[in-house]
Amino acid sequence: MKRPVMPLLLLVCLAGLSAPPAVAAQPAPPPAAPSAAAAPDPLLPAGTTYDPAVPSPAAELGWPVGEWHVSHDRLVAYMRRLAETSERVRLEVQGQSHEGRPLVLLTISSPANLARLGDIRRAHRALSEPPFDDRSQAPSLAGQPAVVWLGYSIHGDEASGSNAALLVAYHLAAGRGAEVERLLEHTVVLLDPSLNPDGLSRFAHWANTHRGRVLVADPEHREHVQAWPSGRTNHYWYDLNRDWLAVQQPESRARVATMQRWRPSLVADFHEMGADSTYFFQPGVPSRQNPLTPPANLELTRAIARYHAEAFDRAGVLYYSEETFDDFFFGKGSTYPDIQGAVGILFEQASSRGHLQETDQGLRSFRDAIGNHVLTSLSTLWAAADKREELLAYQRDFYRRAMAQAQRAPQGGWVVADGGDPARAWHLLDLLTAHGIEVHRLARPLEVGGETFRPGEAWLVPAQQRQVSLATALFERRTEFPDATFYDVSAWTLPLAFDLTAAEVPRARWSPGLLGERVLEPVLPPGRLPSRAAAGGVPPYAWLFEWRGYYAPRALHRLLAAGVVARVATRPFEAETDAGHHRFGYGTVVLPAGLQTLAPERVAELLATVAREDGVDVWAVATGLTVGGADLGSPSLRPLERPKVALAVGHHVASSEAGEVWHLLDQRYRMPLSLVDKDRLGRIDLDRYTHLVLVSGRYDELGEAVVGELAGWLRRGGTLVAIQGAAHWATRALLNGRSAASGGSPGAGGPDAEAGEEAEADEATARRPYADYDADRAVDLVAGAIFEVELDTTHPLAYGYDDPLLPVFRESTAVLEPSANPYENVALYAAAPLLAGYASPANAERLAGTAAAIATRVGRGTLIRLADDPTFRAFWLGTDKLLANALFFGPVVRSTPVPKP
């Protein structure tokens, strides 16, 4: 396993670098590339020579890698130059980021392999396709290259990865010698130099803007302390390393499509961690591996780890391996491959968060960090070349074993219904097919799990398919775990996230006759429109649409923004429509024709748009006299106004939660949203806005005067939506610590009480082993689990929900005590709330009966408190409507003084 020697990286390696020009943050490249064939950068393997026809990074950039942070445009430009000058490199654009930056991918291998790349990909994909015949597959392994994915800097401010990609790509494109030739012969390298272009660009600008001629290592220097939001996330402040399963962001959708097209055998995921650490590579904590991942994966990871250890031992780099990080949640870059027959490996380099920083390990330079990622990139490829047949055989056997287990499994597959909302079902089908999961329409009625599933409203996911392991991970509801400590969430059950009815289909009930047409490219089905002969040819008295559809909020906002007059039904009613008798539920939107100021043709055009693009069913009635319930001129139909929403952002606001709200309103509902800096709340005219949304943050910093202005705005008629941590702050600051405006106490420990705060030590707990702290602390946590709440479906905050039981996602132990006014408690946690994931029995019991959503009238305004994040990671579609209802129907909530006995 002897490899070319990488020179020891010096902590003071930046001292001799040339000073930056006075007028440019990133100097223009010199007119000519260097002609020397020797390694043009000390971070490249010693003894390797390079093709002078292929420009080095320094020749193109005009400075050595690491002297400045490379911007994404310069990074892409260099990768294009490699594809132009090296016969070993092909470049493709996988997609675009939110800000329009290209998501480039380099395919690097020997010219001979590139000449037959299509054949190689087909043969490689055959390893993970039925029928998995040993005898037919075994001969192909001998000459088949391993496919290796190298992915860099999914967190944009962990920039050493993308900067290392410059040198790794150059080494593979231009390096000469037997070792490089061997790597290229035995591997096809898929190199993604920037998994998060928007975040990388934001951070590169920050770091370069604050770099001086003399590097400042002080951790408090502004270069090391980013402004809000940091460069970690993408444009909408999403952590893309939590989006591999959810695929809700364009960056994720593009790279998952590439992965499903290629199905690599080995995936390397390059990150950074705290500056005071060293270097981590997997396997991580063995006891925290997901049970669906075969033990052979762990053994291969350990074998590959020896290659990294050898490289670091030679270079004298400190590292560790089987601690801290885990392989449980399949939604990360290093774990998503593990559920699909590949070996995913996480690399974490201690960060310089700039160019040079003081740490507990001494001075940490950006060049050090880059060099370490270059080392492990190459050690990954050495391992792939040496263990090529083992990796390919493991991938083949993974799918063969999964199919065999599926044949013995108690279920034949899973069935899921749309629950009256084709839009949420469409989003689910879109997610499943993006991962290559086989989905079929239900061909005939099926009764299972106490539910009846009908064709046209339900779909089947068969267990007999190559992606059965991934499908199991997405549908299972696991609540028992061998290790209760989790690096990320412990549950991500898709039907619960989408609030759709689903069931396992027992093998005894399964038959091929249930499978209808396979769904390949799901589309949002359009809604219905009244016929031209609506209501017997009589002009409509009103148009109506129900609120249960996922995109009903987008439809309503589209109409209100265009000037359509709308009302909301706060009582159910029955009416004769253009399609016959129909029962309309709470939250039905009514558009009275007599109140419209727009021309009838314009209204008809808008209704056609919402039916076609928002999937909303539109009904017409010829009379305001209903068959049952309130008539259409009843006071119970409340007028609606277009929301003017502000979201508090900035210093000490949870950017991920804020980004989820921004993404939902901007991308899905197409609503304008004012992003207002939290520290400016006391200096702006709050009356410009009908709604203010606060996510978790430090609002105690606002001061009494600002809180007073917020309270005044609320009493004058504003709607304040406070989510998670902000809900507890609002209880203290705006309700004087009371659980409701009408009285009540927040309960023992206060609204922010954490599990275990009130426990008193006794003899049995007076001392615990210090080494047991992490395990003991896990008992007090809720590890990103799914719980059930009970909704009051008659309340405006719950309009559109037919089922009073709703799954919610929770990652906190803080409880929100119910209001003393029972009419204000929109949602309470069920008596046995845990549906999936980990929560200690004590925490689950403690959560039962506490509030998930409270709506309180304060003067003429409304304070809405949500205990949990309703827009979690953009794929928790089942609770998005709680936020939409707060925005559209918050002003509809009435004051409900408790009647005296």
Side-chain angles (χ1 to χ4, degrees):
M1 235 171 34
K2 296 198 75 173
R3 304 295 171 201
V5 176
M6 179 73 75
L8 181 63
L9 303 177
L10 301 177
L11 289 174
V12 293
C13 62
L14 286 177
L17 295 179
S18 60
V23 296
Q26 293 193 1
S35 58
D41 194 302
L43 299 183
L44 291 168
T48 305
T49 58
Y50 292 86
D51 184 350
V54 179
S56 70
E60 287 293 303
L61 298 174
W63 32 267
V65 171
E67 183 170 350
W68 296 92
H69 281 250
V70 70
S71 60
H72 185 261
D73 59 324
R74 302 289 292 273
L75 176 68
V76 170
Y78 179 68
M79 296 304 171
R80 291 190 188 278
R81 283 289 288 146
L82 288 183
E84 292 167 358
T85 57
S86 174
E87 60 180 352
R88 302 170 178 176
V89 180
R90 291 185 182 177
L91 183 143
E92 64 182 278
V93 176
Q94 306 170 85
Q96 287 188 328
S97 70
H98 276 298
E99 296 178 11
R101 293 184 172 89
L103 304 165
V104 300
L105 180 79
L106 273 62
T107 302
I108 308 175
S109 193
S110 68
N113 284 341
L114 291 182
R116 60 185 186 97
L117 196 62
D119 292 337
I120 289 175
R121 188 171 70 87
R122 283 187 289 272
H124 182 76
R125 283 169 58 91
L127 298 176
S128 54
E129 294 283 0
F132 308 113
D133 187 320
D134 264 345
R135 287 169 296 181
S136 66
Q137 296 289 352
S140 68
L141 298 184
Q144 183 75 0
V147 178
V148 184
W149 173 289
L150 302 179
Y152 297 94
S153 299
I154 198 167
H155 296 141
D157 60 358
E158 299 175 4
S160 58
S162 287
N163 284 266
L166 293 163
L167 292 171
V168 175
Y170 172 67
H171 176 72
L172 297 176
R176 290 173 167 173
E179 187 62 36
V180 177
E181 297 287 347
R182 180 174 174 275
L183 289 181
L184 297 171
E185 178 186 354
H186 292 303
T187 64
V188 172
V189 181
L190 306 175
L191 190 149
D192 192 324
S194 175
L195 295 166
N196 180 3
D198 296 347
L200 181 75
S201 297
R202 190 158 64 244
F203 181 65
H205 176 74
W206 178 267
N208 290 335
T209 296
H210 297 97
R211 182 198 191 278
R213 177 182 294 269
V214 177
L215 300 184
V216 179
D218 177 6
E220 300 303 324
H221 177 48
R222 197 162 191 253
E223 178 184 5
H224 308 302
V225 185
Q226 298 175 67
W228 191 100
S230 71
R232 176 182 177 88
T233 52
N234 78 340
H235 175 78
Y236 284 99
W237 311 329
Y238 271 81
D239 184 337
L240 292 176
N241 199 39
R242 304 299 187 271
D243 195 45
W244 287 83
L245 280 183
V247 287
Q248 299 301 305
Q249 303 298 309
E251 301 91 340
S252 311
R253 184 57 62 105
R255 67 174 181 259
V256 165
T258 301
M259 279 216 168
Q260 292 303 327
R261 179 163 53 91
W262 266 105
R263 303 175 196 168
S265 303
L266 182 58
V267 175
D269 186 24
F270 295 90
H271 290 253
E272 291 179 7
M273 55 183 169
D276 291 329
S277 191
T278 57
Y279 195 103
F280 168 85
F281 49 81
Q282 283 182 311
V285 182
S287 63
R288 299 181 198 166
Q289 195 165 31
N290 195 296
L292 293 174
T293 304
N297 180 289
L298 179 62
E299 295 310 310
L300 265 174
T301 305
R302 280 182 171 141
I304 293 169
R306 298 188 188 102
Y307 287 76
H308 315 316
E310 180 184 334
F312 280 162
D313 288 345
R314 282 221 213 91
V317 176
L318 296 179
Y319 61 89
Y320 65 102
S321 182
E322 297 198 8
E323 300 176 56
T324 311
F325 299 92
D326 66 38
D327 251 1
F328 188 83
F329 173 48
F330 288 127
K332 298 182 295 182
S334 59
T335 51
Y336 177 73
D338 289 340
I339 194 62
Q340 298 175 92
V343 175
I345 298 180
L346 170 67
F347 298 99
E348 293 274 359
Q349 161 65 45
S351 179
S352 66
R353 278 296 188 273
H355 293 88
L356 187 69
Q357 187 174 167
E358 299 169 4
T359 76
D360 290 347
Q361 308 292 334
L363 288 177
R364 175 82 60 201
S365 78
F366 191 37
R367 288 271 294 177
D368 289 337
I370 293 169
N372 289 343
H373 275 333
V374 171
L375 272 175
T376 50
S377 297
L378 298 181
S379 61
T380 297
L381 297 178
W382 294 332
D386 287 351
K387 299 189 171 298
R388 175 181 55 83
E389 290 195 23
E390 292 178 54
L391 287 165
L392 296 175
Y394 168 75
Q395 192 164 23
R396 178 198 62 202
D397 294 344
F398 174 92
Y399 285 98
R400 187 181 61 194
R401 182 171 48 250
M403 289 286 280
Q405 291 173 346
Q407 291 174 351
R408 301 189 299 269
Q411 77 273 8
W414 301 266
V415 60
V416 59
D418 67 15
D421 183 5
R424 271 181 291 134
W426 164 60
H427 275 290
L428 177 63
L429 298 176
D430 182 57
L431 189 158
L432 294 173
T433 55
H435 293 297
I437 294 174
E438 184 180 335
V439 184
H440 293 259
R441 299 182 184 277
L442 181 64
R444 62 177 188 234
L446 174 66
E447 292 187 14
V448 61
E451 300 283 346
T452 300
F453 298 87
R454 296 179 176 83
E457 303 172 357
W459 296 264
L460 285 168
V461 177
Q464 287 294 308
Q465 63 166 296
R466 72 171 193 88
Q467 286 284 50
V468 59
S469 298
L470 181 56
T472 301
L474 294 174
F475 279 87
E476 71 172 358
R477 292 170 56 166
R478 188 184 299 272
T479 57
E480 296 182 1
F481 306 89
D483 190 323
T485 303
F486 300 89
Y487 185 74
D488 202 82
V489 301
S490 61
W492 49 89
T493 310
L494 284 188
L496 297 179
F498 285 72
D499 190 27
L500 296 173
T501 302
E504 288 187 353
V505 182
R507 183 161 298 282
R509 303 292 309 281
W510 186 271
S511 73
L514 292 171
L515 296 176
E517 178 188 4
R518 182 171 178 179
V519 179
L520 297 175
E521 295 184 4
V523 294
L524 174 64
R528 74 173 299 277
L529 275 172
S531 65
R532 292 185 180 274
V538 179
Y541 178 86
W543 298 273
L544 308 90
F545 64 88
E546 296 177 285
W547 195 248
R548 68 162 60 98
Y550 182 77
Y551 284 110
R554 186 167 76 190
L556 177 56
H557 182 267
R558 191 193 301 268
L559 295 169
L560 292 174
V564 174
V565 178
R567 296 189 171 192
V568 60
T570 63
R571 296 282 188 273
F573 62 91
E574 299 178 42
E576 291 295 333
T577 74
D578 63 293
H581 187 88
H582 192 81
R583 183 185 184 280
F584 294 92
Y586 292 98
T588 295
V589 175
V590 179
L591 313 175
L595 297 182
Q596 305 304 324
T597 59
L598 297 178
E601 296 79 10
R602 175 58 176 153
V603 176
E605 178 185 335
L606 289 166
L607 292 175
T609 300
V610 302
R612 181 180 64 254
E613 297 184 13
D614 303 329
V616 169
D617 290 334
V618 180
W619 311 80
V621 294
T623 175
L625 189 66
T626 63
V627 176
D631 293 329
L632 298 190
S634 165
S636 65
L637 271 75
R638 304 286 299 280
L640 295 173
E641 295 183 2
R642 180 187 180 190
K644 298 177 182 177
V645 187
L647 170 68
V649 299
H651 192 53
H652 290 162
V653 172
S655 61
S656 60
E657 292 180 32
E660 290 163 357
V661 174
W662 183 21
H663 180 268
L664 176 66
L665 269 61
D666 188 50
Q667 284 287 318
R668 293 197 175 146
Y669 293 166
R670 311 290 169 82
M671 292 174 59
L673 175 67
S674 296
L675 305 177
V676 176
D677 196 284
K678 181 197 72 173
D679 296 336
R680 288 180 48 80
L681 288 177
R683 304 196 297 274
I684 63 173
D685 179 11
L686 289 173
D687 291 327
R688 288 176 57 92
Y689 310 106
T690 61
H691 293 70
L692 174 62
V693 180
L694 303 181
V695 299
S696 297
R698 298 186 192 174
Y699 299 102
D700 288 332
E701 300 172 341
L702 292 178
E704 291 185 11
V706 177
V707 173
E709 291 190 27
L710 286 173
W713 169 81
L714 183 61
R715 286 192 298 269
R716 292 193 300 273
T719 299
L720 178 64
V721 184
I723 300 172
Q724 289 207 119
H728 304 294
W729 171 82
T731 301
R732 296 191 305 270
L734 300 176
L735 299 178
N736 297 318
R738 295 175 292 126
S739 59
S742 57
S745 65
D752 289 313
E754 295 285 338
E757 273 188 354
E758 300 137 30
E760 295 184 4
D762 55 26
E763 277 190 33
T765 61
R767 187 178 68 182
R768 291 282 299 163
Y770 178 81
D772 291 348
Y773 173 78
D774 286 341
D776 292 346
R777 176 60 177 157
V779 176
D780 291 336
L781 300 178
V782 172
I786 305 171
F787 295 85
E788 186 171 69
V789 302
E790 298 175 350
L791 286 174
D792 172 9
T793 57
T794 71
H795 195 284
L797 204 61
Y799 284 173
Y801 290 103
D802 296 329
D803 189 340
L805 300 179
L806 177 68
V808 300
F809 188 86
R810 163 168 280 256
E811 48 187 344
S812 166
T813 58
V815 299
L816 187 63
E817 293 295 336
S819 170
N821 183 332
Y823 303 103
E824 296 178 352
N825 296 316
V826 183
L828 300 176
Y829 277 88
L834 184 63
L835 293 176
Y838 175 78
S840 68
N843 272 335
E845 181 179 353
R846 181 171 173 271
L847 196 60
T850 63
I854 305 174
T856 303
R857 287 292 286 188
V858 180
R860 297 198 303 271
T862 309
L863 172 61
I864 294 170
R865 289 170 285 164
L866 303 178
D868 304 304
D869 182 356
T871 61
F872 181 71
R873 293 184 182 171
F875 83 104
W876 211 266
L877 273 67
T879 50
D880 280 344
K881 191 156 286 178
L882 291 177
L883 179 58
N885 290 350
L887 299 181
F888 287 100
F889 304 143
V892 174
V893 175
R894 294 183 296 143
S895 179
T896 54
V898 180
K900 294 182 179 180

